[in-house]
Amino acid sequence: GDSVTQMEGPVTLSEEAFLTINCTYTATGYPSLFWYVQYPGEGLQLLLKATKADDKGSNKGFEATYRKETTSFHLEKGSVQVSDSAVYFCALTHGNRDDKIIFGKGTRLHILP
Amino acid sequence: DAGVTQSPTHLIKTRGQQVTLRCSPKSGHDTVSWYQQALGQGPQFIFQYYEEEERQRGNFPDRFSGHQFPNYSSELNVNALLLGDSALYLCASSLLLGTGENEQYFGPGTRLTVT
């Protein structure tokens, strides 16, 4: 079945460092891909999405490119801030009549001042 | 505009008991999905309700059941609670569109602890 695999955390970086969180997927057809963020004590928030191959999703300085040839959707940010500390989830859906979200296990990110 | 709301925030139950969790969708949304997030894991899809019917279901036993009301709000019921049911239960709402581009908005969750 469909699945999402993302790098295990925690990932600890200093403020202003470059961030990459790897994500690969296994799915039939052409899924839509997402990154969600979960701040401490809160629910999930959609960070960015891409719905077709070579699309780049971006938001709040984060970006990820839908790479069908490598079945990947890595999350990147050029300069992280302490406020970016959270858990990040890579996810996919097939949309249309089957829109349940399949999540990866999450990557906890700690940013040190 | 209120987003997705869930109640209660926290709940402690004993093994074998039954629990009901509630969700009110974002204004204008007609579809509610429920997810279980165990500690340190990603959310797992339980089921989705649309037009008061269960539309999709994940790999969860029949102990997990739900309901959607005419005002689109929803309940998740879990019977015969097990220790392994301890988790954060997330509700997500969306507007079902023919295009499939129906973004889901998540509530803050209900933390269930089974002792």
Side-chain angles (χ1 to χ4, degrees):
Chain A
D2 297 347
S3 65
V4 175
T5 302
Q6 59 184 107
M7 64 190 288
E8 293 193 17
V11 173
T12 302
L13 296 172
S14 297
E15 202 165 26
E16 299 183 4
F18 184 85
L19 168 71
T20 300
I21 300 178
N22 290 334
C23 170
T24 58
Y25 68 90
T26 301
T28 57
Y30 300 90
S32 294
L33 302 175
F34 305 83
W35 278 99
Y36 283 85
V37 59
Q38 188 171 39
Y39 297 103
E42 298 185 17
L44 291 167
Q45 298 176 24
L46 178 64
L47 181 60
L48 54 83
K49 68 178 182 181
T51 58
K52 59 183 187 293
D54 299 325
D55 266 3
K56 177 184 284 189
S58 61
N59 186 24
K60 300 181 181 179
F62 291 89
E63 57 183 34
T65 301
Y66 189 140
R67 300 288 190 200
K68 186 152 181 70
E69 63 275 15
T70 54
T71 61
S72 65
F73 193 56
H74 305 320
L75 182 68
E76 297 182 336
K77 186 175 186 183
S79 176
V80 292
Q81 306 300 312
V82 171
S83 58
D84 294 326
S85 298
V87 181
Y88 292 80
F89 294 92
C90 186
L92 68 82
T93 72
H94 279 289
N96 296 313
R97 302 297 297 173
D98 180 8
D99 58 356
K100 64 179 180 288
I101 305 174
I102 297 171
F103 289 90
K105 291 187 176 181
T107 302
R108 183 174 296 277
L109 177 64
H110 292 294
I111 306 299
L112 304 176
Chain B
D1 172 29
V4 180
T5 60
Q6 294 186 241
S7 64
T9 305
H10 296 88
L11 204 49
I12 299 174
K13 290 287 189 178
T14 303
R15 274 179 300 176
Q17 287 188 317
Q18 179 265 343
V19 68
T20 297
L21 310 181
R22 295 178 177 82
C23 172
S24 291
K26 182 177 168 64
S27 178
H29 284 181
D30 59 5
T31 303
V32 173
S33 302
W34 287 92
Y35 293 81
Q36 180 196 65
Q37 186 180 10
L39 197 63
Q41 301 294 314
Q44 298 286 318
F45 176 76
I46 302 174
F47 43 53
Q48 183 182 81
Y49 277 83
Y50 171 68
E51 292 188 340
E52 304 179 48
E53 299 279 338
E54 186 182 284
R55 180 170 167 264
Q56 294 182 77
R57 188 179 182 91
N59 262 344
F60 279 80
D62 292 345
R63 297 187 298 110
F64 289 76
S65 63
H67 189 75
Q68 185 179 35
F69 299 93
N71 67 353
Y72 307 117
S73 68
S74 178
E75 291 182 348
L76 164 65
N77 301 290
V78 187
N79 294 321
L81 284 167
L82 304 174
L83 295 179
D85 295 332
S86 296
L88 180 68
Y89 288 85
L90 295 166
C91 169
S93 75
S94 59
L95 178 64
L96 189 61
L97 303 172
T99 62
E101 294 292 325
N102 42 330
E103 180 178 335
Q104 297 187 37
Y105 289 78
F106 283 83
T110 294
R111 174 73 62 186
L112 172 64
T113 302
V114 181
T115 62

